[in-house]
Amino acid sequence: MFFNSISLLILFITYAVAQFVPPPTDLKTVQGAGGITVRYKEVPTGTCETNPNVKSYSGYADVGPNQHIFFWFFEARAVNATQAPLTVRLDGGPGASSMNGLFQEIGPCTIDAAGNVVNNPYSWSNNSNMLFIDQPATVGFSYTIATKATQSSRTFVITPTDTCTTADPGCGTYSSPDTTLTPNSTQEAAVGFYNAMQGFMGAFPQYAANGVHINTASYGGHYGPIFADYIVKQNKVKAAGTVDIPLKTLMIENGFYDTRVQFAAYYNYTVSPGNTYNLNPYTAAQEQQLYTNIWGAGGCQDQQAKCNANPPPADIDNVCAAADTFCVAEVEDFFDINARRNEDDVRELAPDPFPPTYYVDYLNKANVLQAIGATTNFTQASVQTFFAFNSTGDDSRTGAIINTAMQTILQEGVTVTTFAGDADYDSNWIGGQVVANNVNAPGWTQAGFVNLTTTDGVVRGQTRQADGFSFTRVYFAGHEAPFYQPEATLQMFERAISGMDIATGKMPMALGKNVTTQGTQSSTFMEGPGTIQTTVTPAGSTYNTTTHAPNVAPAQKAKSRFVVSEELVPPPTKVRVTHKKFKKLLVEERRARKEASRKP
Ligand SMILES: *[C@@H]1O[C@H](CO)[C@@H](O)[C@H](O)[C@H]1NC(C)=O
Ligand SMILES: *[C@@H]1O[C@H](CO)[C@@H](O)[C@H](O)[C@H]1NC(C)=O
Ligand SMILES: *[C@@H]1O[C@H](CO)[C@@H](O)[C@H](O)[C@H]1NC(C)=O
Ligand SMILES: *[C@@H]1O[C@H](CO)[C@@H](O)[C@H](O)[C@H]1NC(C)=O
Ligand SMILES: *[C@@H]1O[C@H](CO)[C@@H](O)[C@H](O)[C@H]1NC(C)=O
Ligand SMILES: *[C@@H]1O[C@H](CO)[C@@H](O)[C@H](O)[C@H]1NC(C)=O
Ligand SMILES: *[C@@H]1O[C@H](CO)[C@@H](O)[C@H](O)[C@H]1NC(C)=O
Ligand SMILES: *[C@@H]1O[C@H](CO)[C@@H](O)[C@H](O)[C@H]1NC(C)=O
Ligand SMILES: *[C@@H]1O[C@H](CO)[C@@H](O)[C@H](O)[C@H]1NC(C)=O
């Protein structure tokens, strides 16, 4: 009897403990630049990078007593890494982990349905060192204070507890739920990012000696310009102990930059002039309703104007947070509710299985967490960062600052490459084009659209470029454009970082060369409805980058195994990376885990 109770107790403790992440014991501590401590380890071959000759490191830059920024670095694999440039990847959100970009888009590997590592032949690490950073603290593997807790699958709220067990799928180690520990604005996040870069570059100077490039996506339309502007300014300050960050390129994928422009563009993309897939999702009455929600008295545009008034409103945090909340609910989500399609790829009905999220489960395996030296479990989206940014209305109040930042960094010789997959509604290309026009880059009005052609001779989009500034519309691509057009986006990236024109890669195009692309004033290519799906694509299907349509999983052709439950209303869609998508991203993560747990 006595022994039985003891072994039960031991069993219970083992169970409870297994859910939490044991603190890593094998991290090396070094001093980076700017007074930033870096703790890291070499990641064993096979944990993402499969080539034993290519090194990979992960760890934390401790940018504050309670701000630990996670990074995962991969050496360039087709060239000598110490002679390659350094590219930093930042996902958006706010709150989205850059592991999304790593495993779903541009990193050395993806994860398949069985949880295996699969090499990505289109990895951006071929000719550049790649550094994936989870920021601000609380995002992905980054943390403020590591806390044993459970996360509610309904509200996503994190509740500290030492006693949850495997019976609770939300049990794990998380960043503290205290939102006051994390930045609440893009400007504040810029400081943490700059310091994380100081830490990394001081610890690994050999990988950053040949220029630094930033690649960012979605809410990265906020992060990218403001972070780059901050770097350029700090380089001039030359604070003691810091290193210069030789920033050359800012590349923004499906960016969400300016709410004043991009909320209205939801109407343009779905109604007038409409998208290039001939998708007309609304009835005449719905079109009218959407118009009123945007341009009617007290509607989205009025609220955006109030938030961005000069002088600013006294209670700017609340005015801007309310404006953003209204525009998301009444304008952006109008599509999700009425069209029941994926905002990130309008060709797919919700729920859309692309890009797959098998990597979430992979990253929460005890052996993988140990291999990368993680302190916490992995979450795709940070509730803390979302709440913190929402509390200041960051999304809606930064459009003008972003525009100025892009002008400033261009003047400083930084190449700014923007692009958008044209099947994305979320950060759609119609709005992206207006944002690009508003930058008013030197020579821009004389530039026109030319074909974007990859080295295989295929036309995959159109680019308008004036010196170092460009905007590209990528055909047949959703929000995470590299997933759908890996070859085109890889070549655009390599052209951008080598200072060549985006459309052909043959002409040097940087500041002061006074070169513009000569072509039509608008991009008129129409894909038409051929790739629009009229039934839900079953989970387990793969995306065919040649036909631009799903290869439907044969076993599931008849009926999807995964039934959408009522708790997933509004319709779940794929990875959501602007701030209002946050909740959907979490719903998505939950669905991915459910699917994984049902795997035979
Ligand atoms: C990337 O490099 C690997 C070998 O280092 C090569 O096999 C692969 O074809 C390259 N990919 C591209 C898209 O050039
Ligand atoms: C890589 O480049 C570095 C620095 O130029 C050089 O010292 C090293 O020998 C090179 N490594 C190889 C394998 O060529
Ligand atoms: C968007 O639609 C509005 C309302 O019809 C129109 O005034 C505006 O010019 C359109 N913008 C673009 C970029 O098409
Ligand atoms: C975001 O802020 C607005 C305005 O304060 C509030 O109404 C809304 O509930 C907040 N959203 C979340 C999810 O906290
Ligand atoms: C957290 O990580 C542990 C492994 O260290 C794992 O057993 C547990 O399931 C994870 N929790 C969640 C919520 O993923
Ligand atoms: C945002 O953070 C700043 C700096 O920590 C703080 O002063 C401010 O009160 C915060 N704003 C809100 C709405 O919490
Ligand atoms: C651009 O590409 C289209 C196909 O998308 C082709 O029809 C057209 O001729 C090309 N234009 C030029 C100038 O090559
Ligand atoms: C580009 O134009 C500027 C302003 O007109 C001029 O000063 C500069 O010399 C030109 N550069 C080249 C390479 O022609
Ligand atoms: C894509 O579709 C084409 C045409 O149906 C087919 O030949 C090809 O094998 C598919 N590619 C993949 C990767 O499934």
Side-chain angles (χ1 to χ4, degrees), residues 451 459 475 525:
N451 284 346
V459 175
Y475 300 157
F525 175 75

Side-chain angles (χ1 to χ4, degrees), residues 432-551:
Q433 191 168 228
V434 175
V435 170
N437 293 341
N438 290 347
V439 173
N440 200 15
W444 187 248
T445 50
Q446 287 96 58
F449 280 97
V450 295
N451 284 346
L452 164 77
T453 313
T454 40
T455 47
D456 56 7
V458 178
V459 175
R460 297 180 188 269
Q462 284 203 315
T463 301
R464 179 174 173 180
Q465 181 163 9
D467 284 357
F469 185 72
S470 64
F471 171 79
T472 296
R473 167 191 167 198
V474 181
Y475 300 157
F476 296 109
H479 192 63
E480 295 171 292
F483 170 79
Y484 305 91
Q485 287 277 17
E487 195 162 2
T489 49
L490 172 62
Q491 288 185 25
M492 287 167 61
F493 164 68
E494 295 196 336
R495 290 167 186 178
I497 66 172
S498 55
M500 305 303 274
D501 73 301
I502 303 301
T504 69
K506 292 179 179 148
M507 205 186 341
M509 278 182 91
L511 177 75
K513 297 235 185 270
N514 301 345
V515 185
T516 55
T517 50
Q518 296 302 303
T520 54
Q521 276 301 298
S522 53
S523 175
T524 53
F525 175 75
M526 299 290 292
E527 283 92 346
T531 56
I532 297 283
Q533 304 301 306
T534 52
T535 54
V536 173
T537 302
S541 303
T542 53
Y543 183 79
N544 189 316
T545 55
T546 307
T547 60
H548 310 297
N551 297 314

Side-chain angles (χ1 to χ4, degrees), residues 18-22 169-174 364-366 369 377-378 593:
Q19 284 296 98
F20 302 123
V21 180
C171 183
T173 306
Y174 297 91
N364 274 305
K365 287 184 185 162
L369 291 166
N377 281 98
F378 175 69
R593 285 176 185 230

Side-chain angles (χ1 to χ4, degrees), residues 38 343-344 397 401 466 524:
V38 173
E343 272 193 33
D344 290 352
R397 66 194 278 179
I401 301 166
T524 53

Side-chain angles (χ1 to χ4, degrees), residues 305-388:
K306 236 172 103 185
C307 159
N308 289 286
N310 189 10
D315 52 346
I316 184 166
D317 288 350
N318 291 326
V319 171
C320 293
D324 212 66
T325 302
F326 177 89
C327 296
V328 169
E330 305 300 330
V331 178
E332 181 179 1
D333 286 356
F334 196 87
F335 179 79
D336 304 51
I337 294 159
N338 294 295
R340 299 189 76 84
R341 286 185 170 271
N342 182 3
E343 272 193 33
D344 290 352
D345 179 357
V346 299
R347 298 168 302 170
E348 293 284 336
L349 286 160
D352 176 2
F354 307 128
T357 48
Y358 306 120
Y359 72 97
V360 176
D361 232 46
Y362 174 79
L363 288 176
N364 274 305
K365 287 184 185 162
N367 63 325
V368 176
L369 291 166
Q370 200 271 329
I372 61 175
T375 297
T376 65
N377 281 98
F378 175 69
T379 50
Q380 272 183 296
S382 157
V383 229
Q384 301 93 324
T385 293
F386 170 72
F387 287 145

Side-chain angles (χ1 to χ4, degrees), residues 261 264-265 267-269 272-274 291 295 430-431 433-434:
V261 171
Y267 178 87
N268 299 109
Y269 187 83
S272 167
Y291 187 93
W295 286 287
I430 297 181
Q433 191 168 228
V434 175

Side-chain angles (χ1 to χ4, degrees), residues 184 188 317 391-392:
N184 61 22
E188 201 186 340
D317 288 350
S391 72
T392 63

